[in-house]
Amino acid sequence: MKRNKIVAGNWKMNLDFEEAQTLIEDLETLLDEKQPSCEVIICPPFPYLELATDEASEHELFEVGAQNCAAWESGAYTGEVSAKMLDSIGVNCCIIGHSERRKYFGEDNATLAAKVNLALKYEIVPIFCVGEVLEEREANKHFDVIRKQVEEGLFHLDIADIENVIIAYEPVWAIGTGKTATPAQAQEVHAFIRGLVKEKYGDDIASQIHILYGGSCNAKNASELFAQPDVDGGLIGGASLKAEDFVSICEQASK
Ligand code: PGA
């Protein structure tokens, strides 16, 4: 089975409301013109999600993801945003376990597994991020680290649920650093992750699950990365804030 490609833009904590409006308008113009065949997802900060979902349902040019959700259903968790709330405004997916959440907010695999469960409960596709830090790669521990993240974050799911998960491999040393994994390094880890999924869930699930690459993926290197057999698209940070670059990446995922 040939997997379609997916390109997701992680805006992180950038842009004010007016800038977000402009970026969405520019994306709409370019996506309408170029009509890339890949699946396009934008993940703006919480305050702009409803604007994005309104635009998404009107123009059907992209889907909308959140960058995080709460590990609890509802209640006295000041400052948190639940999966149910996201669902109620038409959000389709949610980044879970981004390395910045793991690092700055102390999110561990058990917390992330709870978030994954709640997202799935409300039919939100988790984009579950894994990846090693530089010292782990240098010590050749990256496969162990990634295995643990995947097993503890996802492998409690049954087949019906794992089918609805996207995995993103984001080597932490490549995020926002301009230092991309080589296509061969990305392919090696993506094939490893697909192998883990195969061991646990079998061939069918392994061959249909999407594994995105993230970490300094841009309009210049996307083609080569996306040409790897186990790279099913990208999770794009910095380059998702420029409409031309992001749409160029979407076009490269559509070849
Ligand atoms: P970057 O970020 O493309 O700016 O490296 C990717 C990510 O963190 O999702």
Side-chain angles (χ1 to χ4, degrees), residues 102-180:
R102 292 176 188 264
K103 180 176 170 191
Y104 300 123
F105 304 93
E107 296 187 358
D108 58 13
N109 291 329
T111 305
L112 298 175
K115 294 186 179 205
V116 165
N117 293 344
L118 283 165
L120 289 167
K121 177 173 175 186
Y122 291 100
E123 294 182 358
I124 290 173
V125 172
I127 302 177
F128 187 76
C129 302
V130 299
E132 78 285 1
V133 300
L134 187 60
E135 301 84 76
E136 291 162 342
R137 176 160 281 264
E138 284 174 350
N140 210 24
K141 292 204 174 111
H142 48 297
F143 292 118
D144 292 341
V145 169
I146 292 160
R147 177 194 293 274
K148 193 167 154 65
Q149 291 171 334
V150 171
E151 284 180 352
E152 294 182 3
L154 295 178
F155 279 5
H156 60 286
L157 298 174
D158 60 22
I159 287 201
D161 276 336
I162 195 80
E163 273 185 339
N164 297 315
V165 172
I166 297 170
I167 299 175
Y169 169 55
E170 298 206 306
V172 180
W173 47 270
I175 296 176
T177 57
K179 204 170 158 191
T180 323

Coordinates of all heavy atoms in Angstrom, one line a residue, residues 102-180:
R102 N 8.5 18.0 26.4 CA 9.2 17.0 27.3 C 10.3 17.8 28.1 O 10.4 17.6 29.3 CB 9.9 15.9 26.5 CG 9.0 15.0 25.7 CD 9.8 14.0 24.9 NE 9.0 13.2 24.0 CZ 8.6 11.9 24.3 NH1 8.9 11.4 25.4 NH2 7.9 11.2 23.4
K103 N 11.0 18.7 27.4 CA 12.1 19.4 28.1 C 11.6 20.5 29.1 O 12.0 20.6 30.2 CB 13.0 20.0 27.0 CG 14.2 20.7 27.6 CD 15.1 21.2 26.5 CE 16.2 22.2 27.0 NZ 16.9 22.8 25.9
Y104 N 10.8 21.4 28.6 CA 10.4 22.6 29.4 C 9.3 22.3 30.4 O 9.0 23.1 31.3 CB 10.1 23.8 28.5 CG 11.2 24.2 27.6 CD1 11.0 24.3 26.2 CD2 12.5 24.5 28.1 CE1 12.1 24.6 25.4 CE2 13.5 24.9 27.3 CZ 13.3 24.9 25.9 OH 14.3 25.3 25.1
F105 N 8.5 21.3 30.1 CA 7.3 21.1 30.9 C 7.3 19.8 31.6 O 6.3 19.3 32.1 CB 6.0 21.3 30.0 CG 5.9 22.7 29.4 CD1 6.4 22.8 28.1 CD2 5.5 23.8 30.1 CE1 6.4 24.1 27.5 CE2 5.4 25.0 29.5 CZ 5.9 25.2 28.2
G106 N 8.4 19.1 31.5 CA 8.6 17.8 32.2 C 7.7 16.7 31.8 O 7.3 15.9 32.7
E107 N 7.2 16.7 30.6 CA 6.2 15.7 30.2 C 6.9 14.4 30.0 O 7.8 14.2 29.2 CB 5.4 16.2 29.0 CG 4.6 17.4 29.2 CD 3.7 17.8 28.1 OE1 3.7 17.1 27.0 OE2 3.0 18.8 28.2
D108 N 6.5 13.4 30.8 CA 7.1 12.0 30.6 C 6.2 11.1 29.8 O 5.1 11.5 29.4 CB 7.4 11.4 32.0 CG 6.1 11.3 32.9 OD1 5.0 11.5 32.3 OD2 6.3 11.1 34.1
N109 N 6.7 9.9 29.6 CA 5.9 9.1 28.6 C 4.6 8.7 29.2 O 3.6 8.5 28.4 CB 6.8 7.8 28.3 CG 8.0 8.1 27.5 OD1 7.9 9.1 26.7 ND2 9.1 7.4 27.6
A110 N 4.4 8.6 30.5 CA 3.1 8.2 31.1 C 2.1 9.3 30.9 O 1.0 9.1 30.5 CB 3.3 7.9 32.6
T111 N 2.6 10.6 31.1 CA 1.7 11.7 30.8 C 1.3 11.8 29.4 O 0.1 12.0 29.0 CB 2.5 13.1 31.2 OG1 2.9 13.0 32.5 CG2 1.6 14.3 31.0
L112 N 2.3 11.5 28.5 CA 2.0 11.6 27.1 C 1.0 10.5 26.7 O 0.1 10.7 25.8 CB 3.3 11.5 26.3 CG 4.2 12.7 26.6 CD1 5.6 12.5 25.9 CD2 3.6 14.0 26.2
A113 N 1.1 9.3 27.3 CA 0.2 8.2 27.0 C -1.2 8.6 27.3 O -2.2 8.4 26.6 CB 0.6 6.9 27.7
A114 N -1.4 9.3 28.5 CA -2.7 9.8 28.9 C -3.2 10.8 27.9 O -4.4 10.8 27.5 CB -2.6 10.4 30.3
K115 N -2.4 11.7 27.4 CA -2.8 12.7 26.4 C -3.2 12.0 25.1 O -4.2 12.3 24.4 CB -1.7 13.7 26.1 CG -1.3 14.5 27.2 CD -0.3 15.6 26.9 CE 0.0 16.5 28.1 NZ 0.4 17.8 27.8
V116 N -2.4 11.0 24.7 CA -2.8 10.2 23.5 C -4.2 9.6 23.6 O -5.0 9.7 22.7 CB -1.7 9.1 23.2 CG1 -2.2 8.1 22.2 CG2 -0.4 9.7 22.8
N117 N -4.4 9.0 24.8 CA -5.7 8.3 25.0 C -6.9 9.3 24.9 O -7.9 9.1 24.3 CB -5.8 7.7 26.4 CG -4.8 6.5 26.5 OD1 -4.3 6.0 25.5 ND2 -4.5 6.1 27.7
L118 N -6.7 10.5 25.5 CA -7.8 11.5 25.4 C -8.0 12.1 24.0 O -9.1 12.3 23.6 CB -7.5 12.6 26.4 CG -7.7 12.3 27.9 CD1 -7.1 13.3 28.8 CD2 -9.3 12.2 28.1
A119 N -6.9 12.3 23.3 CA -7.0 12.8 21.9 C -7.8 11.7 21.1 O -8.8 12.1 20.5 CB -5.6 13.0 21.3
L120 N -7.4 10.5 21.2 CA -8.1 9.4 20.5 C -9.6 9.3 20.9 O -10.5 9.1 20.0 CB -7.4 8.1 20.6 CG -6.1 8.0 19.9 CD1 -5.3 6.8 20.4 CD2 -6.3 8.0 18.4
K121 N -9.9 9.5 22.2 CA -11.2 9.4 22.6 C -12.1 10.4 21.9 O -13.3 10.2 21.6 CB -11.3 9.7 24.2 CG -12.6 9.7 24.7 CD -12.6 9.8 26.3 CE -14.1 9.9 26.8 NZ -14.1 10.1 28.2
Y122 N -11.5 11.6 21.6 CA -12.3 12.7 20.9 C -12.0 12.7 19.4 O -12.2 13.8 18.8 CB -12.1 14.0 21.7 CG -12.7 14.0 23.0 CD1 -12.0 13.7 24.2 CD2 -14.1 14.1 23.1 CE1 -12.6 13.6 25.4 CE2 -14.7 14.0 24.4 CZ -13.9 13.8 25.5 OH -14.6 13.6 26.7
E123 N -11.5 11.6 18.9 CA -11.2 11.5 17.5 C -10.3 12.5 16.9 O -10.5 13.1 15.8 CB -12.6 11.4 16.7 CG -13.3 10.2 17.1 CD -14.6 10.0 16.3 OE1 -15.0 10.9 15.5 OE2 -15.3 9.0 16.6
I124 N -9.3 12.9 17.8 CA -8.3 13.8 17.3 C -7.0 12.9 17.1 O -6.7 12.1 17.9 CB -8.0 14.8 18.4 CG1 -9.2 15.8 18.5 CG2 -6.7 15.6 18.2 CD1 -9.2 16.7 19.6
V125 N -6.4 13.1 15.9 CA -5.3 12.3 15.6 C -4.0 12.8 16.3 O -3.6 13.9 16.1 CB -5.0 12.3 14.0 CG1 -3.7 11.7 13.7 CG2 -6.2 11.7 13.3
P126 N -3.4 11.9 17.2 CA -2.2 12.4 17.8 C -1.0 12.4 16.8 O -0.9 11.4 16.1 CB -1.9 11.3 18.9 CG -3.2 10.5 19.0 CD -3.8 10.6 17.6
I127 N -0.2 13.4 16.8 CA 1.0 13.4 16.1 C 2.1 13.2 17.2 O 2.4 14.2 17.9 CB 1.3 14.7 15.3 CG1 0.1 15.0 14.3 CG2 2.6 14.7 14.5 CD1 0.2 16.3 13.5
F128 N 2.5 12.0 17.4 CA 3.3 11.7 18.6 C 4.8 11.8 18.2 O 5.3 11.1 17.4 CB 2.9 10.2 19.0 CG 3.6 9.9 20.3 CD1 3.1 10.4 21.5 CD2 4.7 9.1 20.4 CE1 3.7 10.1 22.7 CE2 5.3 8.7 21.6 CZ 4.8 9.2 22.8
C129 N 5.4 12.7 19.0 CA 6.8 13.0 18.6 C 7.8 12.2 19.5 O 7.6 12.0 20.7 CB 7.1 14.5 18.9 SG 6.1 15.6 18.0
V130 N 8.8 11.7 18.8 CA 9.9 11.0 19.5 C 11.2 11.5 18.9 O 11.3 12.1 17.9 CB 9.8 9.4 19.3 CG1 8.6 8.9 19.9 CG2 10.0 9.0 17.8
G131 N 12.3 11.3 19.7 CA 13.6 11.7 19.2 C 14.6 11.8 20.3 O 14.3 12.1 21.4
E132 N 15.9 11.6 19.9 CA 17.0 11.6 20.9 C 17.7 13.0 21.0 O 17.7 13.7 20.0 CB 18.0 10.5 20.5 CG 19.0 10.9 19.4 CD 18.3 10.8 18.0 OE1 17.1 10.6 17.8 OE2 19.1 11.1 17.0
V133 N 18.3 13.2 22.1 CA 19.2 14.4 22.2 C 20.6 14.1 21.7 O 20.9 12.9 21.5 CB 19.2 15.0 23.6 CG1 17.8 15.4 24.1 CG2 19.9 14.0 24.6
L134 N 21.4 15.1 21.5 CA 22.7 14.9 20.9 C 23.5 13.9 21.6 O 24.1 13.0 21.0 CB 23.4 16.2 20.8 CG 24.7 16.2 20.0 CD1 24.5 15.7 18.5 CD2 25.4 17.6 20.0
E135 N 23.6 14.0 23.0 CA 24.4 13.1 23.7 C 24.0 11.6 23.6 O 24.8 10.7 23.5 CB 24.4 13.4 25.3 CG 24.8 14.8 25.6 CD 23.7 15.8 25.5 OE1 22.8 15.8 26.4 OE2 23.7 16.6 24.5
E136 N 22.7 11.4 23.4 CA 22.2 10.1 23.2 C 22.6 9.5 21.9 O 23.0 8.4 21.8 CB 20.7 10.0 23.4 CG 20.2 10.3 24.8 CD 18.8 10.7 25.0 OE1 18.1 11.1 24.0 OE2 18.3 10.6 26.1
R137 N 22.6 10.4 20.9 CA 23.1 9.9 19.5 C 24.6 9.6 19.6 O 25.0 8.6 19.1 CB 22.7 10.9 18.4 CG 23.3 10.5 17.1 CD 22.6 11.1 15.9 NE 21.3 10.6 15.6 CZ 21.1 9.6 14.6 NH1 22.1 9.1 13.9 NH2 19.9 9.2 14.4
E138 N 25.3 10.6 20.2 CA 26.7 10.4 20.2 C 27.1 9.1 21.0 O 28.1 8.5 20.7 CB 27.4 11.6 20.8 CG 27.4 12.7 19.8 CD 27.9 14.1 20.3 OE1 28.1 14.2 21.6 OE2 28.1 15.0 19.5
A139 N 26.3 8.8 22.0 CA 26.6 7.5 22.8 C 26.0 6.3 22.1 O 26.0 5.2 22.7 CB 26.1 7.7 24.2
N140 N 25.4 6.5 20.9 CA 24.8 5.4 20.1 C 23.6 4.8 20.9 O 23.3 3.6 20.8 CB 25.8 4.4 19.8 CG 25.5 3.7 18.5 OD1 24.8 4.3 17.7 ND2 25.9 2.5 18.3
K141 N 22.9 5.7 21.7 CA 21.8 5.2 22.5 C 20.4 5.5 21.8 O 19.4 5.3 22.4 CB 21.8 5.8 23.9 CG 23.0 5.3 24.7 CD 22.6 5.5 26.2 CE 23.7 4.9 27.1 NZ 24.5 5.9 27.8
H142 N 20.5 6.1 20.6 CA 19.2 6.7 20.1 C 18.2 5.7 19.8 O 17.0 5.9 20.1 CB 19.5 7.6 18.9 CG 20.4 7.0 17.8 ND1 21.7 6.7 18.1 CD2 20.1 6.6 16.5 CE1 22.2 6.2 17.0 NE2 21.3 6.1 16.0
F143 N 18.6 4.5 19.4 CA 17.5 3.4 19.2 C 16.8 3.0 20.4 O 15.6 2.9 20.5 CB 18.1 2.2 18.5 CG 18.6 2.5 17.1 CD1 19.9 2.4 16.7 CD2 17.7 2.9 16.1 CE1 20.4 2.7 15.4 CE2 18.1 3.2 14.8 CZ 19.5 3.1 14.4
D144 N 17.6 2.9 21.5 CA 17.0 2.6 22.8 C 16.0 3.6 23.3 O 14.9 3.3 23.8 CB 18.1 2.4 23.9 CG 18.9 1.2 23.6 OD1 18.5 0.3 22.8 OD2 20.1 1.1 24.2
V145 N 16.5 4.9 23.2 CA 15.6 6.0 23.6 C 14.3 6.0 22.8 O 13.2 6.2 23.4 CB 16.4 7.4 23.4 CG1 15.5 8.6 23.6 CG2 17.6 7.4 24.3
I146 N 14.4 5.9 21.5 CA 13.2 6.0 20.7 C 12.3 4.8 20.9 O 11.1 4.9 21.0 CB 13.6 6.1 19.2 CG1 14.3 7.4 19.0 CG2 12.5 5.9 18.3 CD1 15.2 7.5 17.7
R147 N 12.9 3.6 21.1 CA 12.1 2.4 21.4 C 11.3 2.6 22.7 O 10.1 2.4 22.7 CB 13.0 1.2 21.6 CG 12.2 -0.1 22.0 CD 13.1 -1.2 22.6 NE 14.0 -1.7 21.6 CZ 13.7 -2.7 20.7 NH1 12.5 -3.2 20.8 NH2 14.6 -3.1 19.8
K148 N 11.9 3.2 23.7 CA 11.2 3.4 25.0 C 10.1 4.5 24.8 O 9.0 4.3 25.3 CB 12.2 3.9 26.0 CG 11.8 3.9 27.5 CD 13.0 4.2 28.4 CE 12.7 4.8 29.7 NZ 11.9 4.0 30.6
Q149 N 10.4 5.5 24.1 CA 9.4 6.6 23.9 C 8.1 6.0 23.1 O 7.0 6.2 23.5 CB 9.9 7.7 23.1 CG 11.0 8.5 23.8 CD 11.7 9.6 23.0 OE1 11.8 9.4 21.8 NE2 12.2 10.6 23.6
V150 N 8.4 5.2 22.1 CA 7.3 4.6 21.3 C 6.6 3.6 22.1 O 5.3 3.6 22.2 CB 7.9 4.0 20.0 CG1 6.8 3.2 19.3 CG2 8.4 5.0 19.1
E151 N 7.3 2.7 22.8 CA 6.6 1.7 23.6 C 5.8 2.3 24.7 O 4.6 1.9 24.9 CB 7.7 0.7 24.2 CG 8.2 -0.2 23.2 CD 9.3 -1.2 23.7 OE1 9.7 -1.1 24.9 OE2 9.7 -2.1 22.9
E152 N 6.4 3.2 25.5 CA 5.6 3.7 26.7 C 4.6 4.7 26.3 O 3.6 4.9 27.0 CB 6.6 4.3 27.7 CG 7.5 3.3 28.2 CD 8.5 3.8 29.3 OE1 8.5 5.0 29.6 OE2 9.3 3.0 29.8
G153 N 4.7 5.4 25.2 CA 3.7 6.4 24.8 C 2.6 5.8 24.0 O 1.5 6.4 24.0
L154 N 2.9 4.8 23.2 CA 1.9 4.3 22.2 C 1.5 2.8 22.3 O 0.4 2.5 21.9 CB 2.4 4.5 20.8 CG 2.6 6.0 20.4 CD1 3.2 6.0 18.9 CD2 1.3 6.8 20.4
F155 N 2.4 2.0 22.8 CA 2.1 0.6 22.6 C 1.1 -0.1 23.6 O 0.8 -1.2 23.6 CB 3.4 -0.2 22.6 CG 4.1 -0.2 21.3 CD1 3.7 0.6 20.2 CD2 5.3 -0.9 21.1 CE1 4.3 0.7 19.0 CE2 5.9 -0.9 19.8 CZ 5.5 -0.1 18.8
H156 N 0.4 0.8 24.4 CA -0.7 0.3 25.1 C -2.0 0.3 24.3 O -3.0 -0.2 24.7 CB -0.9 1.2 26.4 CG -1.2 2.6 26.0 ND1 -0.2 3.5 25.6 CD2 -2.4 3.3 26.0 CE1 -0.8 4.7 25.3 NE2 -2.1 4.6 25.5
L157 N -1.9 0.9 23.1 CA -3.1 1.1 22.3 C -3.4 -0.2 21.6 O -2.5 -1.0 21.2 CB -2.8 2.2 21.2 CG -2.6 3.6 21.7 CD1 -2.2 4.5 20.6 CD2 -3.8 4.1 22.5
D158 N -4.7 -0.4 21.3 CA -5.1 -1.5 20.5 C -5.0 -1.1 19.0 O -4.8 0.0 18.7 CB -6.5 -2.1 20.9 CG -7.6 -1.1 20.7 OD1 -7.4 -0.1 20.0 OD2 -8.6 -1.2 21.4
I159 N -5.2 -2.1 18.1 CA -5.1 -1.9 16.7 C -6.0 -0.8 16.2 O -5.6 0.0 15.4 CB -5.3 -3.2 15.9 CG1 -4.1 -4.2 16.2 CG2 -5.5 -3.0 14.4 CD1 -3.9 -5.2 15.2
A160 N -7.2 -0.8 16.6 CA -8.2 0.2 16.1 C -7.7 1.6 16.5 O -8.0 2.6 15.7 CB -9.5 0.0 16.8
D161 N -6.9 1.8 17.5 CA -6.5 3.1 17.9 C -5.1 3.5 17.3 O -4.9 4.6 16.8 CB -6.4 3.2 19.4 CG -7.7 3.6 20.1 OD1 -8.5 4.2 19.4 OD2 -7.9 3.3 21.2
I162 N -4.2 2.5 17.2 CA -2.9 2.8 16.7 C -3.0 3.2 15.2 O -2.2 4.1 14.7 CB -1.9 1.7 16.9 CG1 -0.4 2.1 16.6 CG2 -2.2 0.5 16.0 CD1 0.2 2.8 17.8
E163 N -4.0 2.7 14.5 CA -4.2 3.1 13.1 C -4.4 4.6 13.0 O -4.2 5.1 11.9 CB -5.5 2.4 12.7 CG -5.4 1.1 12.1 CD -6.7 0.5 11.6 OE1 -7.8 1.0 11.9 OE2 -6.6 -0.4 10.8
N164 N -4.9 5.2 14.0 CA -5.2 6.7 13.9 C -4.1 7.6 14.5 O -4.3 8.7 14.8 CB -6.5 7.0 14.6 CG -7.7 6.3 14.0 OD1 -7.8 6.3 12.7 ND2 -8.5 5.6 14.8
V165 N -2.9 7.0 14.6 CA -1.8 7.8 15.2 C -0.8 8.1 14.1 O -0.5 7.3 13.2 CB -1.1 7.0 16.3 CG1 0.2 7.7 16.8 CG2 -2.1 6.8 17.5
I166 N -0.2 9.3 14.1 CA 0.9 9.7 13.2 C 2.1 9.8 14.2 O 2.0 10.3 15.3 CB 0.7 11.0 12.6 CG1 -0.5 11.0 11.6 CG2 1.9 11.5 11.8 CD1 -1.0 12.3 11.1
I167 N 3.2 9.2 13.8 CA 4.5 9.3 14.6 C 5.4 10.4 13.9 O 5.4 10.4 12.6 CB 5.2 8.0 14.7 CG1 4.2 6.9 15.4 CG2 6.5 8.1 15.4 CD1 4.8 5.5 15.4
A168 N 6.0 11.2 14.7 CA 7.0 12.1 14.1 C 8.4 11.8 14.7 O 8.5 11.9 16.0 CB 6.6 13.6 14.3
Y169 N 9.4 11.6 13.9 CA 10.7 11.4 14.4 C 11.4 12.8 14.3 O 11.6 13.3 13.2 CB 11.5 10.4 13.6 CG 13.0 10.4 13.9 CD1 13.4 10.3 15.3 CD2 14.0 10.6 13.0 CE1 14.8 10.4 15.6 CE2 15.3 10.7 13.3 CZ 15.7 10.6 14.6 OH 17.0 10.6 14.9
E170 N 11.7 13.3 15.5 CA 12.4 14.7 15.5 C 13.6 14.6 16.4 O 13.6 14.7 17.6 CB 11.4 15.7 16.1 CG 10.2 15.9 15.3 CD 9.6 17.3 15.5 OE1 9.3 17.6 16.7 OE2 9.4 18.0 14.5
P171 N 14.8 14.3 15.7 CA 16.0 14.3 16.5 C 16.2 15.7 17.2 O 16.1 16.7 16.5 CB 17.1 14.0 15.5 CG 16.5 14.3 14.2 CD 15.0 14.2 14.3
V172 N 16.3 15.8 18.5 CA 16.3 17.0 19.2 C 17.4 17.9 18.7 O 17.3 19.2 18.6 CB 16.3 16.8 20.7 CG1 16.3 18.1 21.5 CG2 15.2 15.9 21.2
W173 N 18.6 17.3 18.4 CA 19.7 18.1 17.9 C 19.5 18.8 16.6 O 20.3 19.6 16.1 CB 21.0 17.2 17.9 CG 20.8 15.9 17.2 CD1 20.4 14.7 17.8 CD2 20.9 15.6 15.8 NE1 20.3 13.7 16.9 CE2 20.6 14.2 15.7 CE3 21.3 16.3 14.7 CZ2 20.6 13.6 14.4 CZ3 21.3 15.7 13.4 CH2 21.0 14.3 13.3
A174 N 18.4 18.4 15.9 CA 18.1 19.0 14.6 C 17.0 20.0 14.7 O 16.8 20.7 13.7 CB 17.7 17.9 13.6
I175 N 16.4 20.2 15.8 CA 15.2 21.1 15.9 C 15.7 22.5 16.1 O 16.4 22.8 17.1 CB 14.3 20.7 17.1 CG1 13.7 19.3 16.8 CG2 13.2 21.7 17.3 CD1 12.8 18.8 17.9
G176 N 15.3 23.4 15.1 CA 15.6 24.8 15.2 C 17.1 25.1 15.2 O 17.5 26.2 15.5
T177 N 17.9 24.1 14.8 CA 19.4 24.3 14.8 C 19.9 24.5 13.4 O 21.1 24.9 13.3 CB 20.1 23.1 15.4 OG1 19.7 21.9 14.6 CG2 19.7 22.9 16.8
G178 N 19.1 24.3 12.4 CA 19.7 24.3 11.0 C 20.5 23.1 10.7 O 20.9 22.9 9.6
K179 N 20.6 22.2 11.6 CA 21.4 20.9 11.4 C 20.4 19.8 11.2 O 19.8 19.3 12.1 CB 22.1 20.7 12.7 CG 23.4 19.9 12.6 CD 24.1 20.0 13.9 CE 25.0 18.8 14.1 NZ 25.6 18.7 15.5
T180 N 20.1 19.5 9.9 CA 19.1 18.4 9.6 C 19.8 17.1 9.7 O 21.0 16.9 9.4 CB 18.7 18.6 8.1 OG1 18.6 20.0 7.8 CG2 17.4 18.0 7.9

